[in-house]
Amino acid sequence: MQHIIHSTMLNTSNRGDCMVTRISGFYKNSPEKRLEIIAKQLNLSTEEKNTLLGNAGLSVNVADHMVENAIGSFPIPLGIAVNFKVNEKDAFVPMATEEPSVIAAASNAAKHSAKGFFTSYTGSIMRGQIQLTNVIDPYGALARIYENKEEILHRCNAQDPTLVSLGGGAKDLDVHVIDGVAEKMVVTHLLVDTKDAMGANAVNTMAEAVAPFIEKITGGKAILRILSNLADQRIVRARGVFENPFSGDKNVQEKFIRAAELAEADPYRAATHNKGIMNGITAVALATGNDTRAVEAGAHAYASITGRYRPLSHWEIGEDDSMIGSIELPMPVGLVGGVTASHPVAKVAIKILDVESVEELAGIIASVGLAQNFAALKALAGEGIQEGHMKLHARNIAMQLGAKNDEMDKVVELAMKQGKISYDKIKEILLSLQKNNSNH
Ligand code: MEV
C-alpha cells in the first residue's frame, strides 16, 4: 500500500513515479496551501497556479471564441480529490462541481481502497449514424451497403488523414433496418476509432461526407448524419476492493449491499444511485473540458440497454469482508482538440491528472464514479447523508451572511451543537458571535 503522508511533511518531488496522492489532512489546509502541495508535485508554473486561482483563467476573449454572444464566464469551484491510485499509479483528481460533499466523499472513499482501482477500456470506437428513408428494398440495400464497405470506409478516412495516421479512423460498419411509422428505414453505423479525441467532429464529418455515396448505392434519401451518444463500443470498466468501512460491523455492511440491490430491482432507486455516480464522473469530465452531456447521455442510455434502467455499478462482499465494487459505462472523453485544448483551466487540470492517453483518463473517471457510489452507499447504510451535508450547508449559509474566515468554523460548530441548521439560526449565531467579539 502507498504510504500515507501528512501534507506538512511533503517535500518537493518530481512529477511521475514518486508522486504521492495519499495525503492525510489535505482538506485542513487553506486553498493556497493545497494548491502549493499540488503545484510542487506536478511542477505547475506561476501562470498555471494563477489560472487555477482565478487570477488569469478564462478570458472573455477565449469565451467569445468558444460560444456565441459571450458576455463573460460562469466559474464553478475546482477541487482536488486525493488518495486515488488507479492501475498502481497515484493520481490527483481535479473535480469541478458546485455540490458540497462530492470531493470529500470521493477522497474519503478512495482512502478505503488500499490497493486502489483497476480498469480496462475497450478502445475509443464511436458510432456515427446515417439514416436512410425512401428505400424500396431495405434488406437489399443493407446488403449493398456491406458489399461496398471498403469504399465507404475509404471515403470516410479520406476526411481525416491525421486520425488515420495515428492508427484511428473508420474501421467497420454495422447496418440496421429500423421500423419507422411510415416505412422501414436503413441506418448505417460507421464505427470510427477516434483514439485520444472525443471524436464528435471527426465522426459527423465522415457521416456527412459519405451519405451521398450511400444514397447512390441504395436509392434512398439520407436525413440524419450524426454520431450516436450511446457509445457502447467505448466502454470503461473499473474495479475497486474496499475495506469494510463500518469498523467490522457486518450488519451495516449487509445494509450497504441491500441498498445497492434496490438499485438493481427498482428504477426509482437506480436513477438516484447513478446520479451519485455521475456526481463524480461529471465533475472530472467538466474539469478536463469534456462534453459532460455526451458522457451523461451515454451513461443513462447504457444503464437502460437491457430495456430497464439499471445501476451502472455492482457490489459484492469478497474475502476478509472486503467490498468489491465494479462499474461499467461508456466514456466518450477526449484529451486532444476541443475545449480540453483551449480552456486554460482544463489544460492545467489535465496536467494535474498526469495522464498520457484517453484510456488512462477514462479509467480514472470511472474509478471516481465508483468511489462516489461507495461513499454514498456507506453514508446511506450508516448515519445517513444529512450529517455531512448539514455542516457544509451551514457553511454556505454563513458565507452568504458574510461570515469572515475566522468566524466560519465557530458559527458552524455552534450551529451543529444546537442541532438546527437554518438561515435564521445561523444569522442569530453569527450576530451574537460578532456582538461578543466587538465587546472584547
Ligand atoms: C446526492 O447528490 C447523491 C446521492 O443521492 C446518491 C445516492 O443516493 O446514492 C447521495
Side-chain angles (χ1 to χ4, degrees), residues 99 269 272-273 275-277 279 373 376-377 380 385 389:
E99 184 167 330
R269 173 56 203 161
T272 321
H273 179 105
K275 190 273 181 184
I277 290 172
N279 276 345
N373 188 219
L377 290 169
L380 291 165
I385 60 157
H389 267 250

Side-chain angles (χ1 to χ4, degrees), residues 15 50 56 87 90 95 107 115 120 167 175 183 224 227 268 298 340-341 343 358 362 375 390 406-407 428:
R15 165 186 183 189
N50 276 331
N87 299 325
D90 277 30
M95 300 176 76
S107 304
K115 291 195 179 125
S120 61
V175 191
E183 58 169 340
L224 293 175
L227 102 166
Y268 285 96
T340 44
H343 194 298
V358 144
M390 286 328 267
D406 57 335
E407 295 164 342
E428 182 193 313

Side-chain angles (χ1 to χ4, degrees), residues 309-325:
Y309 189 85
R310 292 204 143 95
L312 295 163
S313 67
H314 295 278
W315 290 96
E316 296 152 313
I317 298 183
E319 287 171 6
D320 310 332
D321 262 5
S322 62
M323 314 195 59
I324 303 160

Side-chain angles (χ1 to χ4, degrees), residues 6 26 29 39 46 57 67 108 136 149 211 216 276 323 344 360-361 419 431 437:
H6 288 271
F26 184 68
N29 293 292
T46 307
V67 300
N108 189 273
I136 295 172
K149 176 173 134 178
K216 199 168 127 206
M323 314 195 59
E360 240 189 289
L361 174 63
L431 288 177
N437 285 349

Side-chain angles (χ1 to χ4, degrees), residues 268-345:
Y268 285 96
R269 173 56 203 161
T272 321
H273 179 105
N274 288 345
K275 190 273 181 184
I277 290 172
M278 298 313 287
N279 276 345
I281 288 181
T282 302
V284 189
L286 184 59
T288 52
N290 273 291
D291 182 340
T292 54
R293 289 83 54 216
V295 175
E296 282 165 2
H300 296 298
Y302 195 68
S304 327
I305 205 154
T306 57
R308 198 179 70 218
Y309 189 85
R310 292 204 143 95
L312 295 163
S313 67
H314 295 278
W315 290 96
E316 296 152 313
I317 298 183
E319 287 171 6
D320 310 332
D321 262 5
S322 62
M323 314 195 59
I324 303 160
S326 50
I327 187 169
E328 169 179 325
L329 76 162
M331 194 51 68
V333 289
L335 271 180
V336 294
V339 178
T340 44
S342 61
H343 194 298
V345 179

